[in-house]
């Protein structure tokens, strides 16, 4: 490249400013999918089967995340379907899950006033 055809030199600060992404605000309370999953579990006193959670669009990764975070518990149970015994996983909201929902609802009310 000849000096005449070289692109104009940009300062390092200008380049960094255009490349650096904007900082994201840290969210308080459960993420939207987590919150929706916790609300579904809260509405089901006996909990929900894993299949029902999948049918509502939740992933296995999200369910594992909820259990590992202590927001839900999962256990296996046997169920009779079409005359055959099948083992299914049932997920229930935990006390920490109830508290997360309650805390998020309080935070939203405080923001709206």
């Amino acid at each position: 490249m000849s000096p005449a055809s070289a692109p104009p030199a940009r300062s390092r600060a200008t380049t960094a400013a255009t490349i650096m992404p904007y900082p994201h605000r840290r969210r308080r309370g459960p993420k939207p999918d987590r919150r929706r999953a916790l609300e579904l579990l809260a509405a089901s006193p006996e909990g929900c089967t894993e299949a029902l959670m999948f049918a509502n669009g939740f992933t296995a990764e999200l369910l594992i995340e909820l259990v590992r975070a202590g927001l839900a518990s999962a256990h296996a149970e046997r169920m009779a379907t079409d005359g055959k015994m099948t083992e299914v996983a049932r997920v229930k909201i935990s006390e920490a899950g109830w508290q997360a929902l309650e805390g998020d609802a309080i935070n939203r009310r405080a923001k709206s006033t």
Side-chain angles (χ1 to χ4, degrees):
M1 275 181 147
S2 68
S5 66
R10 297 198 313 198
S11 74
R12 194 166 238 208
T14 304
T15 305
T18 57
I19 295 173
M20 295 294 290
Y22 292 103
H24 296 285
R25 287 188 180 169
R26 189 169 175 103
R27 237 183 229 173
R28 295 188 185 247
K31 296 175 187 175
D33 279 345
R34 268 186 163 190
R35 176 170 180 64
R36 202 167 59 86
L38 289 174
E39 287 174 342
L40 178 60
L41 294 173
S44 307
E46 297 299 314
C48 296
T49 62
E50 188 180 48
L52 182 63
M53 297 299 284
F54 293 158
N56 278 280
F58 301 111
T59 63
E61 290 79 17
L62 176 66
L63 299 180
I64 291 168
E65 185 181 316
L66 290 173
V67 171
R68 286 187 177 161
L71 300 173
S73 63
H75 67 277
E77 70 179 40
R78 291 179 187 240
M79 182 179 278
T81 56
D82 295 330
K84 298 177 184 176
M85 291 301 286
T86 311
E87 195 166 285
V88 297
R90 184 169 296 277
V91 183
K92 290 184 179 183
I93 191 168
S94 69
E95 186 60 38
W98 282 107
Q99 290 172 0
L101 280 178
E102 187 177 286
D104 191 40
I106 290 170
N107 288 337
R108 273 194 283 142
R109 269 190 251 127
K111 284 181 189 176
S112 67
T113 57

